[in-house]
Amino acid sequence: MNETICALATAPGGALGIIRISGVQSLEILSKIFSKDLTSALPNTIHYGHIFSSTAPAGSPSDPEVLDEVLVSVFRAPHSYTGEDSAEISCHGSRYILNKVLELLVMHGCRMAGPGEYTMRAYLNGKMDLTQAEAVADLIASSNAATHSLAISQLRGGISSELSHLREKLLKLTSLLELELDFSDHEDLEFADRTELSILTKEIDKRITTLTLSFESGQAIKQGIPVAIVGKTNVGKSTLLNRLLHEDRAIVSDIHGTTRDTIEDTIDINGITFRFIDTAGIRQTTDEVEQIGINRTYSAIEKARIILWIVDQEPSHEELSKICLYAENKKLIVIRNKIDKSENKPFTLVKIPLIEISAKHGQGVSDLEQAIYLAADIPDTSDGEVIITNARHYDALLRAHQSMTRVLSGLESDLSGDLLSEDLRDVLSVLSEITGAEITPNEILGNIFTHFCVGK
Ligand SMILES: Nc1nc2c(ncn2[C@@H]2O[C@H](COP(=O)(O)OP(=O)(O)OP(=O)(O)O)[C@@H](O)[C@H]2O)c(=O)[nH]1
Ligand SMILES: [Mg+2]
């Protein structure tokens, strides 16, 4: 933390490159290679000047030792990203220039920053908590509206404030229990009765459980929601995949059993990434390779969140019950394909959404996309709903839930208050672990920040 660090913050290849410096000596070191003395520069100011490649900057801008014309933004502690004195040099994007500037900074006393070191300093200097620091990495990695919205809401303290509400309630519960412990020999004092404590415990645990359950949606949003396209051979599964992707990704033919292996690709619908998996058509076969493909169809069904079951005629009673069996606990959409063919007769289904399309010619496909989007059932973060996307948070919340379950059964079996408050203290400490409010071991910090890019 005492060292001044530097790194390239932008990806190579652009017209400009930004080099970040942070630490007590930032402005002193920078002044040694810049045409102006910045040691007393005001906070949040921008300075135009030159970077000199020689150690002793000589006078005029036309000096042959000028390396680049740059803009330097100056930030002062504590009002900077890291909370330290820092600067950003906007250079021209040449690899040579950027490497040379970094070399000069290191020569004058900077150290090259490790991955995520700026954000780690921001956390250690109290500029943000751990969940917000993690959100920075998610924000940089966000690739669509949904992942962006999750990262922004976490960065703006969505999870932190949710956890602080929980913390308040837990403290209330702990204090009620401890009151009982401290004054249990005063018979004339009245304490909150245990039913009341159970109600409060259940309320807290319910919230924790909702958060842990949201992890599945969080993961799905981050990795793309898996959608399996299944059905008998030749019903048009691959044609639909190609239609959704707007490209000839899978081989289409009127030979039954064309698709042997699963084929996967992603598209965004209304800002959410869906991972479509085209599968081998299901039928009885003696072909060994085809059978392997069909087995893969079943495992794709298992992993999917949404199942698009395609038919090109009314499914038999037997097929329908098979469909319902496989789609148990999943969102199911039955698709009647090839509506452009006159021999393909309409039918209705009870309680199962049915969409009619022509994968070949495009009719009904945008309705299908909307149905898929709705089936994803993604909670809306814009109205403050918190979704857990991080495995570290999920793991901690699961532990919190386990402790709360122990508290609840302890309350119901009249366990003594001191044993109960021990579990409650565990929950409080788990919540602090998520936000990093308690001292976080270096190993965990290392784990979190190594996944960052250098320069952030
Ligand atoms: N008329 C019409 N033909 C279609 C439509 N969709 C698919 N087809 C045709 O149906 C045949 C089978 O299409 P595929 O997409 O290969 O079917 P599949 O379900 O992937 O078949 P398998 O991979 O063998 O399981 C092809 O000849 C397609 O051109 C449609 O909407 N209308
Ligand atoms: Mg196919």
Side-chain angles (χ1 to χ4, degrees), residues 231-240 251-259 278-281 337-341 357-361:
K232 291 183 174 169
T233 53
N234 227 38
V235 290
K237 300 180 293 296
S238 302
T239 310
L240 176 63
I251 300 172
V252 165
S253 87
D254 58 5
I255 302 165
H256 286 254
T258 302
T259 307
D278 178 23
T279 62
N337 188 30
K338 309 190 186 180
I339 52 168
D340 55 288
K341 287 174 94 174
I357 64 164
S358 165
K360 189 169 182 174
H361 301 290

PDB file of all heavy atoms in Angstrom, residues 231-240 251-259 278-281 337-341 357-361, ligand 1:
ATOM      1  N   GLY A 231     -37.242 -32.733 -30.033  1.00  0.00           N
ATOM      2  CA  GLY A 231     -38.413 -33.257 -30.732  1.00  0.00           C
ATOM      3  C   GLY A 231     -38.001 -34.458 -31.572  1.00  0.00           C
ATOM      4  O   GLY A 231     -36.830 -34.874 -31.545  1.00  0.00           O
ATOM      5  N   LYS A 232     -38.968 -34.997 -32.325  1.00  0.00           N
ATOM      6  CA  LYS A 232     -38.657 -36.143 -33.182  1.00  0.00           C
ATOM      7  C   LYS A 232     -37.757 -35.698 -34.331  1.00  0.00           C
ATOM      8  O   LYS A 232     -37.572 -34.496 -34.542  1.00  0.00           O
ATOM      9  CB  LYS A 232     -39.966 -36.704 -33.749  1.00  0.00           C
ATOM     10  CG  LYS A 232     -40.838 -37.370 -32.703  1.00  0.00           C
ATOM     11  CD  LYS A 232     -42.060 -37.958 -33.393  1.00  0.00           C
ATOM     12  CE  LYS A 232     -42.897 -38.766 -32.427  1.00  0.00           C
ATOM     13  NZ  LYS A 232     -44.207 -39.113 -33.024  1.00  0.00           N
ATOM     14  N   THR A 233     -37.253 -36.667 -35.092  1.00  0.00           N
ATOM     15  CA  THR A 233     -36.408 -36.315 -36.244  1.00  0.00           C
ATOM     16  C   THR A 233     -37.239 -35.578 -37.291  1.00  0.00           C
ATOM     17  O   THR A 233     -38.450 -35.784 -37.415  1.00  0.00           O
ATOM     18  CB  THR A 233     -35.817 -37.585 -36.892  1.00  0.00           C
ATOM     19  OG1 THR A 233     -36.898 -38.481 -37.177  1.00  0.00           O
ATOM     20  CG2 THR A 233     -34.835 -38.275 -35.965  1.00  0.00           C
ATOM     21  N   ASN A 234     -36.553 -34.691 -38.023  1.00  0.00           N
ATOM     22  CA  ASN A 234     -37.133 -34.032 -39.195  1.00  0.00           C
ATOM     23  C   ASN A 234     -38.243 -33.009 -38.914  1.00  0.00           C
ATOM     24  O   ASN A 234     -38.916 -32.562 -39.845  1.00  0.00           O
ATOM     25  CB  ASN A 234     -37.670 -35.089 -40.179  1.00  0.00           C
ATOM     26  CG  ASN A 234     -37.219 -34.771 -41.585  1.00  0.00           C
ATOM     27  OD1 ASN A 234     -36.088 -34.325 -41.786  1.00  0.00           O
ATOM     28  ND2 ASN A 234     -38.094 -34.976 -42.554  1.00  0.00           N
ATOM     29  N   VAL A 235     -38.461 -32.641 -37.657  1.00  0.00           N
ATOM     30  CA  VAL A 235     -39.550 -31.702 -37.374  1.00  0.00           C
ATOM     31  C   VAL A 235     -39.120 -30.252 -37.613  1.00  0.00           C
ATOM     32  O   VAL A 235     -39.957 -29.343 -37.599  1.00  0.00           O
ATOM     33  CB  VAL A 235     -40.076 -31.862 -35.926  1.00  0.00           C
ATOM     34  CG1 VAL A 235     -40.832 -33.156 -35.739  1.00  0.00           C
ATOM     35  CG2 VAL A 235     -38.950 -31.726 -34.922  1.00  0.00           C
ATOM     36  N   GLY A 236     -37.815 -30.023 -37.805  1.00  0.00           N
ATOM     37  CA  GLY A 236     -37.342 -28.670 -38.112  1.00  0.00           C
ATOM     38  C   GLY A 236     -36.560 -28.011 -36.979  1.00  0.00           C
ATOM     39  O   GLY A 236     -36.503 -26.784 -36.896  1.00  0.00           O
ATOM     40  N   LYS A 237     -35.928 -28.794 -36.128  1.00  0.00           N
ATOM     41  CA  LYS A 237     -35.161 -28.237 -34.994  1.00  0.00           C
ATOM     42  C   LYS A 237     -33.972 -27.414 -35.489  1.00  0.00           C
ATOM     43  O   LYS A 237     -33.754 -26.291 -35.054  1.00  0.00           O
ATOM     44  CB  LYS A 237     -34.656 -29.378 -34.081  1.00  0.00           C
ATOM     45  CG  LYS A 237     -35.768 -30.230 -33.492  1.00  0.00           C
ATOM     46  CD  LYS A 237     -35.239 -31.334 -32.615  1.00  0.00           C
ATOM     47  CE  LYS A 237     -34.455 -32.393 -33.373  1.00  0.00           C
ATOM     48  NZ  LYS A 237     -35.231 -33.155 -34.362  1.00  0.00           N
ATOM     49  N   SER A 238     -33.223 -27.998 -36.415  1.00  0.00           N
ATOM     50  CA  SER A 238     -32.031 -27.297 -36.908  1.00  0.00           C
ATOM     51  C   SER A 238     -32.432 -26.067 -37.718  1.00  0.00           C
ATOM     52  O   SER A 238     -31.761 -25.029 -37.661  1.00  0.00           O
ATOM     53  CB  SER A 238     -31.186 -28.235 -37.752  1.00  0.00           C
ATOM     54  OG  SER A 238     -30.827 -29.365 -36.983  1.00  0.00           O
ATOM     55  N   THR A 239     -33.547 -26.193 -38.449  1.00  0.00           N
ATOM     56  CA  THR A 239     -34.034 -25.041 -39.215  1.00  0.00           C
ATOM     57  C   THR A 239     -34.360 -23.894 -38.257  1.00  0.00           C
ATOM     58  O   THR A 239     -34.044 -22.731 -38.526  1.00  0.00           O
ATOM     59  CB  THR A 239     -35.295 -25.423 -40.024  1.00  0.00           C
ATOM     60  OG1 THR A 239     -35.022 -26.614 -40.739  1.00  0.00           O
ATOM     61  CG2 THR A 239     -35.708 -24.329 -40.973  1.00  0.00           C
ATOM     62  N   LEU A 240     -34.962 -24.240 -37.113  1.00  0.00           N
ATOM     63  CA  LEU A 240     -35.300 -23.205 -36.135  1.00  0.00           C
ATOM     64  C   LEU A 240     -34.031 -22.585 -35.544  1.00  0.00           C
ATOM     65  O   LEU A 240     -33.941 -21.361 -35.398  1.00  0.00           O
ATOM     66  CB  LEU A 240     -36.179 -23.772 -35.010  1.00  0.00           C
ATOM     67  CG  LEU A 240     -36.490 -22.763 -33.905  1.00  0.00           C
ATOM     68  CD1 LEU A 240     -37.298 -21.581 -34.447  1.00  0.00           C
ATOM     69  CD2 LEU A 240     -37.240 -23.411 -32.746  1.00  0.00           C
ATOM     70  N   ILE A 251     -26.675 -28.209 -40.081  1.00  0.00           N
ATOM     71  CA  ILE A 251     -27.071 -28.809 -41.364  1.00  0.00           C
ATOM     72  C   ILE A 251     -28.561 -29.160 -41.309  1.00  0.00           C
ATOM     73  O   ILE A 251     -29.042 -29.742 -40.331  1.00  0.00           O
ATOM     74  CB  ILE A 251     -26.257 -30.093 -41.663  1.00  0.00           C
ATOM     75  CG1 ILE A 251     -24.766 -29.754 -41.729  1.00  0.00           C
ATOM     76  CG2 ILE A 251     -26.738 -30.756 -42.948  1.00  0.00           C
ATOM     77  CD1 ILE A 251     -23.876 -30.980 -41.833  1.00  0.00           C
ATOM     78  N   VAL A 252     -29.257 -28.742 -42.375  1.00  0.00           N
ATOM     79  CA  VAL A 252     -30.688 -29.038 -42.483  1.00  0.00           C
ATOM     80  C   VAL A 252     -30.874 -29.961 -43.682  1.00  0.00           C
ATOM     81  O   VAL A 252     -30.309 -29.711 -44.743  1.00  0.00           O
ATOM     82  CB  VAL A 252     -31.466 -27.722 -42.706  1.00  0.00           C
ATOM     83  CG1 VAL A 252     -32.870 -28.001 -43.194  1.00  0.00           C
ATOM     84  CG2 VAL A 252     -31.479 -26.878 -41.438  1.00  0.00           C
ATOM     85  N   SER A 253     -31.627 -31.041 -43.512  1.00  0.00           N
ATOM     86  CA  SER A 253     -31.969 -31.865 -44.679  1.00  0.00           C
ATOM     87  C   SER A 253     -33.253 -32.625 -44.360  1.00  0.00           C
ATOM     88  O   SER A 253     -33.658 -32.693 -43.195  1.00  0.00           O
ATOM     89  CB  SER A 253     -30.850 -32.859 -45.000  1.00  0.00           C
ATOM     90  OG  SER A 253     -31.034 -34.035 -44.252  1.00  0.00           O
ATOM     91  N   ASP A 254     -33.874 -33.168 -45.395  1.00  0.00           N
ATOM     92  CA  ASP A 254     -35.102 -33.914 -45.100  1.00  0.00           C
ATOM     93  C   ASP A 254     -34.820 -35.375 -44.755  1.00  0.00           C
ATOM     94  O   ASP A 254     -35.732 -36.188 -44.658  1.00  0.00           O
ATOM     95  CB  ASP A 254     -36.126 -33.760 -46.241  1.00  0.00           C
ATOM     96  CG  ASP A 254     -35.548 -34.233 -47.565  1.00  0.00           C
ATOM     97  OD1 ASP A 254     -34.413 -34.762 -47.544  1.00  0.00           O
ATOM     98  OD2 ASP A 254     -36.217 -34.057 -48.602  1.00  0.00           O
ATOM     99  N   ILE A 255     -33.552 -35.697 -44.558  1.00  0.00           N
ATOM    100  CA  ILE A 255     -33.206 -37.055 -44.109  1.00  0.00           C
ATOM    101  C   ILE A 255     -33.379 -37.107 -42.595  1.00  0.00           C
ATOM    102  O   ILE A 255     -32.832 -36.255 -41.875  1.00  0.00           O
ATOM    103  CB  ILE A 255     -31.737 -37.398 -44.481  1.00  0.00           C
ATOM    104  CG1 ILE A 255     -31.545 -37.266 -45.987  1.00  0.00           C
ATOM    105  CG2 ILE A 255     -31.344 -38.771 -43.955  1.00  0.00           C
ATOM    106  CD1 ILE A 255     -30.102 -37.226 -46.429  1.00  0.00           C
ATOM    107  N   HIS A 256     -34.132 -38.083 -42.121  1.00  0.00           N
ATOM    108  CA  HIS A 256     -34.333 -38.206 -40.672  1.00  0.00           C
ATOM    109  C   HIS A 256     -33.011 -38.520 -39.981  1.00  0.00           C
ATOM    110  O   HIS A 256     -32.240 -39.341 -40.479  1.00  0.00           O
ATOM    111  CB  HIS A 256     -35.354 -39.323 -40.391  1.00  0.00           C
ATOM    112  CG  HIS A 256     -36.753 -38.906 -40.733  1.00  0.00           C
ATOM    113  ND1 HIS A 256     -37.686 -38.597 -39.781  1.00  0.00           N
ATOM    114  CD2 HIS A 256     -37.354 -38.710 -41.934  1.00  0.00           C
ATOM    115  CE1 HIS A 256     -38.814 -38.260 -40.369  1.00  0.00           C
ATOM    116  NE2 HIS A 256     -38.636 -38.317 -41.683  1.00  0.00           N
ATOM    117  N   GLY A 257     -32.747 -37.870 -38.880  1.00  0.00           N
ATOM    118  CA  GLY A 257     -31.509 -38.152 -38.140  1.00  0.00           C
ATOM    119  C   GLY A 257     -30.314 -37.395 -38.687  1.00  0.00           C
ATOM    120  O   GLY A 257     -29.184 -37.857 -38.604  1.00  0.00           O
ATOM    121  N   THR A 258     -30.568 -36.187 -39.250  1.00  0.00           N
ATOM    122  CA  THR A 258     -29.455 -35.392 -39.800  1.00  0.00           C
ATOM    123  C   THR A 258     -28.512 -34.921 -38.691  1.00  0.00           C
ATOM    124  O   THR A 258     -27.304 -35.044 -38.785  1.00  0.00           O
ATOM    125  CB  THR A 258     -30.006 -34.158 -40.562  1.00  0.00           C
ATOM    126  OG1 THR A 258     -30.860 -34.620 -41.594  1.00  0.00           O
ATOM    127  CG2 THR A 258     -28.895 -33.314 -41.126  1.00  0.00           C
ATOM    128  N   THR A 259     -29.093 -34.361 -37.637  1.00  0.00           N
ATOM    129  CA  THR A 259     -28.254 -33.847 -36.542  1.00  0.00           C
ATOM    130  C   THR A 259     -27.873 -35.005 -35.636  1.00  0.00           C
ATOM    131  O   THR A 259     -28.736 -35.721 -35.134  1.00  0.00           O
ATOM    132  CB  THR A 259     -29.008 -32.769 -35.739  1.00  0.00           C
ATOM    133  OG1 THR A 259     -29.473 -31.780 -36.652  1.00  0.00           O
ATOM    134  CG2 THR A 259     -28.113 -32.126 -34.693  1.00  0.00           C
ATOM    135  N   ASP A 278     -29.296 -27.154 -30.211  1.00  0.00           N
ATOM    136  CA  ASP A 278     -30.013 -28.019 -31.175  1.00  0.00           C
ATOM    137  C   ASP A 278     -29.564 -29.447 -30.895  1.00  0.00           C
ATOM    138  O   ASP A 278     -28.398 -29.693 -30.607  1.00  0.00           O
ATOM    139  CB  ASP A 278     -29.623 -27.593 -32.606  1.00  0.00           C
ATOM    140  CG  ASP A 278     -30.288 -28.477 -33.668  1.00  0.00           C
ATOM    141  OD1 ASP A 278     -31.332 -29.093 -33.368  1.00  0.00           O
ATOM    142  OD2 ASP A 278     -29.747 -28.555 -34.790  1.00  0.00           O
ATOM    143  N   THR A 279     -30.518 -30.368 -30.941  1.00  0.00           N
ATOM    144  CA  THR A 279     -30.188 -31.735 -30.528  1.00  0.00           C
ATOM    145  C   THR A 279     -30.559 -32.757 -31.603  1.00  0.00           C
ATOM    146  O   THR A 279     -31.300 -32.451 -32.534  1.00  0.00           O
ATOM    147  CB  THR A 279     -30.967 -32.105 -29.248  1.00  0.00           C
ATOM    148  OG1 THR A 279     -32.365 -32.059 -29.552  1.00  0.00           O
ATOM    149  CG2 THR A 279     -30.670 -31.155 -28.106  1.00  0.00           C
ATOM    150  N   ALA A 280     -30.055 -33.974 -31.410  1.00  0.00           N
ATOM    151  CA  ALA A 280     -30.417 -35.070 -32.317  1.00  0.00           C
ATOM    152  C   ALA A 280     -31.883 -35.424 -32.087  1.00  0.00           C
ATOM    153  O   ALA A 280     -32.347 -35.465 -30.942  1.00  0.00           O
ATOM    154  CB  ALA A 280     -29.537 -36.279 -32.031  1.00  0.00           C
ATOM    155  N   GLY A 281     -32.615 -35.655 -33.161  1.00  0.00           N
ATOM    156  CA  GLY A 281     -34.039 -35.992 -33.055  1.00  0.00           C
ATOM    157  C   GLY A 281     -34.228 -37.303 -32.293  1.00  0.00           C
ATOM    158  O   GLY A 281     -33.433 -38.232 -32.430  1.00  0.00           O
ATOM    159  N   ASN A 337     -44.475 -26.567 -35.794  1.00  0.00           N
ATOM    160  CA  ASN A 337     -43.696 -26.025 -36.910  1.00  0.00           C
ATOM    161  C   ASN A 337     -44.342 -26.401 -38.249  1.00  0.00           C
ATOM    162  O   ASN A 337     -45.233 -27.236 -38.303  1.00  0.00           O
ATOM    163  CB  ASN A 337     -42.259 -26.559 -36.807  1.00  0.00           C
ATOM    164  CG  ASN A 337     -41.333 -25.898 -37.818  1.00  0.00           C
ATOM    165  OD1 ASN A 337     -41.542 -24.736 -38.196  1.00  0.00           O
ATOM    166  ND2 ASN A 337     -40.306 -26.624 -38.267  1.00  0.00           N
ATOM    167  N   LYS A 338     -43.854 -25.762 -39.285  1.00  0.00           N
ATOM    168  CA  LYS A 338     -44.278 -26.016 -40.677  1.00  0.00           C
ATOM    169  C   LYS A 338     -45.744 -25.642 -40.899  1.00  0.00           C
ATOM    170  O   LYS A 338     -46.478 -26.359 -41.592  1.00  0.00           O
ATOM    171  CB  LYS A 338     -44.033 -27.499 -41.064  1.00  0.00           C
ATOM    172  CG  LYS A 338     -42.608 -28.001 -40.773  1.00  0.00           C
ATOM    173  CD  LYS A 338     -42.329 -29.359 -41.389  1.00  0.00           C
ATOM    174  CE  LYS A 338     -40.965 -29.863 -40.946  1.00  0.00           C
ATOM    175  NZ  LYS A 338     -40.611 -31.178 -41.485  1.00  0.00           N
ATOM    176  N   ILE A 339     -46.164 -24.511 -40.294  1.00  0.00           N
ATOM    177  CA  ILE A 339     -47.565 -24.100 -40.484  1.00  0.00           C
ATOM    178  C   ILE A 339     -47.840 -23.701 -41.925  1.00  0.00           C
ATOM    179  O   ILE A 339     -48.985 -23.560 -42.333  1.00  0.00           O
ATOM    180  CB  ILE A 339     -47.986 -22.932 -39.546  1.00  0.00           C
ATOM    181  CG1 ILE A 339     -46.996 -21.775 -39.643  1.00  0.00           C
ATOM    182  CG2 ILE A 339     -48.136 -23.389 -38.113  1.00  0.00           C
ATOM    183  CD1 ILE A 339     -47.503 -20.510 -38.986  1.00  0.00           C
ATOM    184  N   ASP A 340     -46.725 -23.517 -42.704  1.00  0.00           N
ATOM    185  CA  ASP A 340     -46.933 -23.172 -44.118  1.00  0.00           C
ATOM    186  C   ASP A 340     -47.401 -24.375 -44.924  1.00  0.00           C
ATOM    187  O   ASP A 340     -47.854 -24.239 -46.057  1.00  0.00           O
ATOM    188  CB  ASP A 340     -45.622 -22.619 -44.696  1.00  0.00           C
ATOM    189  CG  ASP A 340     -44.472 -23.586 -44.499  1.00  0.00           C
ATOM    190  OD1 ASP A 340     -44.001 -23.737 -43.335  1.00  0.00           O
ATOM    191  OD2 ASP A 340     -44.042 -24.208 -45.452  1.00  0.00           O
ATOM    192  N   LYS A 341     -47.305 -25.574 -44.344  1.00  0.00           N
ATOM    193  CA  LYS A 341     -47.715 -26.771 -45.109  1.00  0.00           C
ATOM    194  C   LYS A 341     -49.174 -27.097 -44.809  1.00  0.00           C
ATOM    195  O   LYS A 341     -49.556 -27.209 -43.642  1.00  0.00           O
ATOM    196  CB  LYS A 341     -46.841 -27.975 -44.730  1.00  0.00           C
ATOM    197  CG  LYS A 341     -45.430 -27.865 -45.287  1.00  0.00           C
ATOM    198  CD  LYS A 341     -44.556 -28.976 -44.774  1.00  0.00           C
ATOM    199  CE  LYS A 341     -44.521 -30.150 -45.730  1.00  0.00           C
ATOM    200  NZ  LYS A 341     -43.544 -31.164 -45.276  1.00  0.00           N
ATOM    201  N   ILE A 357     -45.331 -21.788 -35.735  1.00  0.00           N
ATOM    202  CA  ILE A 357     -44.344 -21.079 -36.550  1.00  0.00           C
ATOM    203  C   ILE A 357     -44.086 -21.812 -37.863  1.00  0.00           C
ATOM    204  O   ILE A 357     -44.469 -22.967 -38.047  1.00  0.00           O
ATOM    205  CB  ILE A 357     -42.974 -20.958 -35.828  1.00  0.00           C
ATOM    206  CG1 ILE A 357     -42.344 -22.341 -35.600  1.00  0.00           C
ATOM    207  CG2 ILE A 357     -43.082 -20.224 -34.517  1.00  0.00           C
ATOM    208  CD1 ILE A 357     -40.867 -22.307 -35.264  1.00  0.00           C
ATOM    209  N   SER A 358     -43.394 -21.071 -38.731  1.00  0.00           N
ATOM    210  CA  SER A 358     -42.753 -21.736 -39.855  1.00  0.00           C
ATOM    211  C   SER A 358     -41.281 -21.370 -39.732  1.00  0.00           C
ATOM    212  O   SER A 358     -40.903 -20.226 -39.992  1.00  0.00           O
ATOM    213  CB  SER A 358     -43.323 -21.224 -41.184  1.00  0.00           C
ATOM    214  OG  SER A 358     -42.451 -21.636 -42.221  1.00  0.00           O
ATOM    215  N   ALA A 359     -40.495 -22.336 -39.280  1.00  0.00           N
ATOM    216  CA  ALA A 359     -39.068 -22.061 -39.076  1.00  0.00           C
ATOM    217  C   ALA A 359     -38.416 -21.748 -40.419  1.00  0.00           C
ATOM    218  O   ALA A 359     -37.498 -20.949 -40.503  1.00  0.00           O
ATOM    219  CB  ALA A 359     -38.401 -23.262 -38.427  1.00  0.00           C
ATOM    220  N   LYS A 360     -38.957 -22.370 -41.460  1.00  0.00           N
ATOM    221  CA  LYS A 360     -38.359 -22.181 -42.784  1.00  0.00           C
ATOM    222  C   LYS A 360     -38.615 -20.781 -43.324  1.00  0.00           C
ATOM    223  O   LYS A 360     -37.728 -20.155 -43.887  1.00  0.00           O
ATOM    224  CB  LYS A 360     -38.937 -23.228 -43.744  1.00  0.00           C
ATOM    225  CG  LYS A 360     -38.244 -23.281 -45.068  1.00  0.00           C
ATOM    226  CD  LYS A 360     -38.706 -24.515 -45.826  1.00  0.00           C
ATOM    227  CE  LYS A 360     -37.996 -24.633 -47.153  1.00  0.00           C
ATOM    228  NZ  LYS A 360     -38.346 -25.915 -47.797  1.00  0.00           N
ATOM    229  N   HIS A 361     -39.846 -20.284 -43.117  1.00  0.00           N
ATOM    230  CA  HIS A 361     -40.190 -18.992 -43.733  1.00  0.00           C
ATOM    231  C   HIS A 361     -40.265 -17.844 -42.719  1.00  0.00           C
ATOM    232  O   HIS A 361     -40.414 -16.693 -43.095  1.00  0.00           O
ATOM    233  CB  HIS A 361     -41.509 -19.113 -44.515  1.00  0.00           C
ATOM    234  CG  HIS A 361     -41.427 -20.149 -45.592  1.00  0.00           C
ATOM    235  ND1 HIS A 361     -40.661 -19.986 -46.717  1.00  0.00           N
ATOM    236  CD2 HIS A 361     -41.980 -21.390 -45.687  1.00  0.00           C
ATOM    237  CE1 HIS A 361     -40.761 -21.069 -47.472  1.00  0.00           C
ATOM    238  NE2 HIS A 361     -41.561 -21.939 -46.867  1.00  0.00           N
TER     239      HIS A 361
HETATM  240  N1  LIG B   1     -42.279 -26.396 -45.287  1.00  0.00           N
HETATM  241  C1  LIG B   1     -41.495 -26.325 -44.249  1.00  0.00           C
HETATM  242  N2  LIG B   1     -40.442 -27.146 -44.157  1.00  0.00           N
HETATM  243  C2  LIG B   1     -39.648 -27.065 -43.064  1.00  0.00           C
HETATM  244  C3  LIG B   1     -39.892 -26.124 -42.018  1.00  0.00           C
HETATM  245  N3  LIG B   1     -38.945 -26.286 -41.077  1.00  0.00           N
HETATM  246  C4  LIG B   1     -38.127 -27.269 -41.508  1.00  0.00           C
HETATM  247  N4  LIG B   1     -38.538 -27.737 -42.711  1.00  0.00           N
HETATM  248  C5  LIG B   1     -37.938 -28.799 -43.490  1.00  0.00           C
HETATM  249  O1  LIG B   1     -37.967 -30.017 -42.765  1.00  0.00           O
HETATM  250  C6  LIG B   1     -36.816 -30.808 -43.048  1.00  0.00           C
HETATM  251  C7  LIG B   1     -36.101 -31.156 -41.739  1.00  0.00           C
HETATM  252  O2  LIG B   1     -35.567 -29.992 -41.162  1.00  0.00           O
HETATM  253  P1  LIG B   1     -34.417 -30.031 -40.075  1.00  0.00           P
HETATM  254  O3  LIG B   1     -34.284 -28.661 -39.549  1.00  0.00           O
HETATM  255  O4  LIG B   1     -33.191 -30.681 -40.609  1.00  0.00           O
HETATM  256  O5  LIG B   1     -35.082 -30.989 -39.003  1.00  0.00           O
HETATM  257  P2  LIG B   1     -34.488 -31.542 -37.644  1.00  0.00           P
HETATM  258  O6  LIG B   1     -35.579 -31.582 -36.678  1.00  0.00           O
HETATM  259  O7  LIG B   1     -33.268 -30.795 -37.288  1.00  0.00           O
HETATM  260  O8  LIG B   1     -34.116 -33.039 -38.074  1.00  0.00           O
HETATM  261  P3  LIG B   1     -33.043 -34.032 -37.427  1.00  0.00           P
HETATM  262  O9  LIG B   1     -31.760 -33.308 -37.266  1.00  0.00           O
HETATM  263  O10 LIG B   1     -32.969 -35.117 -38.418  1.00  0.00           O
HETATM  264  O11 LIG B   1     -33.608 -34.516 -36.146  1.00  0.00           O
HETATM  265  C8  LIG B   1     -35.969 -29.960 -43.978  1.00  0.00           C
HETATM  266  O12 LIG B   1     -36.195 -30.381 -45.289  1.00  0.00           O
HETATM  267  C9  LIG B   1     -36.471 -28.560 -43.752  1.00  0.00           C
HETATM  268  O13 LIG B   1     -36.303 -27.709 -44.881  1.00  0.00           O
HETATM  269  C10 LIG B   1     -41.021 -25.268 -42.177  1.00  0.00           C
HETATM  270  O14 LIG B   1     -41.306 -24.403 -41.317  1.00  0.00           O
HETATM  271  N5  LIG B   1     -41.785 -25.410 -43.288  1.00  0.00           N
END
